[in-house]
Amino acid sequence: MYNEIDWEQIDLTAKAPLEGPKRQYYFMARCRELVRKEAESLGRPLTFFVTTFGCQMNARDSEKLTGILLEAGYLPAENEDADFVIYNTCTVRENANLKVYGHLGLLKHKKKSKPHMRIALCGCMMQEPLVVEKLKNSYQFVDLIFGTHNIFQFAELLARTLESRKTVIDVWEGTQEIMEDLPVERKYPFKSGVNIMFGCNNFCSYCIVPYVRGRERSRKPEDILQEIKTLANDGVSEIMLLGQNVNSYGKTLKEPVSFAELLRQVEQIEGIARIRFMTSHPKDLSDELIEVMKESKKICRHLHLPLQSGSTRILQAMNRRYTKEQYLELAEKIRREIPDISLTTDIIVGFPGETEEDFLETLDVVRRVRYDNAYTFIYSKRTGTPAASMEQQVPEDVVKFRFDRLLMLVQEHARRQTARFAGTVQEVLIEEVNKHDSSLLTGRMGSNLLVHFPGDASLVGSIRSVQLLECRGFYYMGRLLQAGASVFHVSK
Ligand code: 5AD
Ligand code: SF4
């Protein structure tokens, strides 16, 4: 695991070590020198600002970027008026790309009045050659561009950027490398994401992830367990195991380990009170996993199980490898085995060739599964994916009409499902002082629902029992119970 770096031990007059974390520590030391000199000439410390788009994986990657920027001697800034600005991009839908270009347009002006400012771009969008080409031609003020596969090289790339006036571009097509032992700065002291695998092998026909994140690679269980033990020692009580398809974790390891087995081992780690994971593919969700969840005292009663479509025909065109009936059976089995579970999902509307009948099948699944929440997306055409060249793209107005109907149904169920907890006592992880009313705290239940209740800021980071008094649509108002008070129903 990463320990404090002893900067005195690093000899910058020597050549950089050839590989591994030592090489990156060397470049961190070099960045420290460069940042110190620039700060001296400006007469003030240098600052940085990281903007993250997209999923939990990117959020975790941004914590890694932040860890290195802090080691390099930058101080965090409140906004993009910083000396080093980096966008960790997402390209899963077109919208995310457009936002990045919007931000860059604004930065161009800032940089004119602040020539020493450095602008960097990384993440999934950079893995697309057409994007990099566009940046090279029309956004020449960008100083550094790198992708998802060499994020572990960030210290080295940062040093190159600070030493050069030319744009540094380094995007890899893929990698087998998983580098451990680099600094990470967590956003929350009490909870953390933990990567258990990278990439995806599923090739759902609409999805760009396998092209930009590469093939599936699992971290070794011993590295994962060691990281979680270190996090627990550092005060973390909730972890979220991260992977595009956690249910196929460990299959490609030299000594294969199932995801359920990994969970069993994580459960043993002292100090960790709550375990979450994201994302599960329905086709790989095993009975063993349901069993482990059922027996576990720490795994939260929440499962995110992307449906994408309720029509078997569309599911087939999406290459999801399950039918409507198989999905419904699985959801039923999970609800039967773990009755207090919260189920959430992702749904895409307007996949090429989707007819009204197909869409009605999706509504039917939503009605039957009674999701606690669903993330609904309008299909976005991603160049290079098989779906992009499919005929029968659905007209925009038809998609919009379907999307609105889906959203209404999803919200109706979410309200109903949320209300089922009224009056119960839940264990919540207190995450923050309420942003709108500082006399209130905000806590997250195992089901992922939020509850607001009066309390003191000193409780942030602790797990407490809260009685749910009033349901307000998608969240609750509640009352903190004193430690040791009698409770009649507690769930994780
Ligand atoms: N268009 C719309 N939604 C998409 N997703 C992935 N690719 C696309 C696309 N091309 C959605 C899926 C996935 C979630 C992370 O993003 O629902 O589960
Ligand atoms: Fe994309 Fe499908 Fe992989 Fe999820 S499982 S990342 S939707 S290809």
Side-chain angles (χ1 to χ4, degrees), residues 219-289:
R219 278 177 79 194
K220 289 196 217 111
E222 55 270 29
D223 289 340
I224 298 170
L225 296 168
Q226 187 50 51
E227 177 175 348
I228 299 174
K229 280 179 198 155
T230 309
L231 288 168
N233 286 338
D234 200 27
V236 167
S237 56
E238 177 179 304
I239 51 150
M240 160 96 80
L241 305 178
L242 297 172
Q244 303 293 349
N245 179 12
V246 291
N247 299 111
S248 67
Y249 169 78
K251 288 187 182 157
T252 52
L253 285 171
K254 269 200 200 112
E255 291 168 41
V257 179
S258 71
F259 180 54
E261 183 49 38
L262 178 72
L263 280 171
R264 273 197 201 102
Q265 295 183 28
V266 174
E267 175 103 12
Q268 305 304 320
I269 297 175
E270 223 172 288
I272 296 298
R274 278 177 158 191
I275 304 166
R276 298 182 184 277
F277 53 86
M278 184 86 107
T279 293
S280 291
H281 194 305
K283 80 174 163 61
D284 296 316
L285 199 144
S286 65
D287 287 351
E288 191 194 2
L289 175 67

Side-chain angles (χ1 to χ4, degrees), residues 92-93 206-207 306 308 346-348 377-380 382:
V92 89
R93 285 172 294 273
Y206 51 82
C207 186
Q308 312 301 5
D346 291 341
I347 300 172
I348 298 176
F377 305 106
I378 286 180
Y379 167 71
S380 172
R382 309 313 291 134

Side-chain angles (χ1 to χ4, degrees), residues 102-122:
H103 277 265
L104 283 179
L106 296 175
L107 280 198
K108 186 175 181 178
H109 298 289
K110 280 193 206 292
K111 195 169 176 180
K112 271 204 181 120
S113 59
K114 233 166 100 179
H116 71 277
M117 180 179 184
R118 299 294 209 288
I119 299 170
L121 291 165
C122 66

Side-chain angles (χ1 to χ4, degrees), residues 367-385:
R367 280 194 198 95
R368 294 211 213 173
V369 177
R370 308 182 307 279
Y371 291 109
D372 290 79
N373 201 359
Y375 301 91
T376 51
F377 305 106
I378 286 180
Y379 167 71
S380 172
K381 189 172 171 172
R382 309 313 291 134
T383 309
T385 61

Side-chain angles (χ1 to χ4, degrees), residues 34 45 61 93 102 127-128 132 194 196 241 325 333 348 368 447 463-464 484 492:
L34 295 163
D61 281 349
R93 285 172 294 273
Q127 293 296 140
E128 292 186 85
V132 175
V194 174
I196 63 166
L241 305 178
E325 288 68 32
K333 182 162 43 172
I348 298 176
R368 294 211 213 173
S447 66
I463 294 181
R464 295 295 167 112
K492 281 178 277 298

Side-chain angles (χ1 to χ4, degrees), residues 200-204 206-210 244-245 281 308 320:
C200 180
N201 283 353
N202 285 320
F203 290 94
C204 300
Y206 51 82
C207 186
I208 201 158
V209 168
Q244 303 293 349
N245 179 12
H281 194 305
Q308 312 301 5
R320 290 291 289 176

Side-chain angles (χ1 to χ4, degrees), residues 366-480:
V366 171
R367 280 194 198 95
R368 294 211 213 173
V369 177
R370 308 182 307 279
Y371 291 109
D372 290 79
N373 201 359
Y375 301 91
T376 51
F377 305 106
I378 286 180
Y379 167 71
S380 172
K381 189 172 171 172
R382 309 313 291 134
T383 309
T385 61
S389 51
M390 285 181 189
E391 285 166 8
Q392 293 179 288
Q393 303 277 333
V394 186
E396 223 172 277
D397 54 336
V398 176
V399 177
K400 184 79 183 51
F401 182 49
R402 287 183 195 159
F403 183 82
D404 291 345
R405 282 183 287 161
L406 174 64
L407 194 62
M408 265 176 40
L409 186 68
V410 159
Q411 290 187 343
E412 185 189 318
H413 280 277
R415 268 198 205 93
R416 209 177 297 157
Q417 286 295 102
T418 305
R420 76 190 151 121
F421 297 110
T424 61
V425 171
Q426 301 281 332
E427 271 185 42
V428 308
L429 172 57
I430 303 177
E431 294 194 343
E432 59 189 6
V433 173
N434 189 289
K435 288 193 187 80
H436 306 291
D437 178 349
S438 61
S439 71
L440 297 179
L441 298 175
T442 298
R444 192 178 294 273
M445 309 177 206
S447 66
N448 223 22
L449 282 177
L450 294 180
V451 53
H452 309 290
F453 51 90
D456 188 83
S458 62
L459 294 176
V460 170
S462 62
I463 294 181
R464 295 295 167 112
S465 297
V466 171
Q467 182 162 33
L468 307 183
L469 299 175
E470 187 195 342
C471 180
R472 295 211 182 145
F474 307 116
Y475 66 93
Y476 274 94
M477 300 306 292
R479 166 175 87 92
L480 186 68

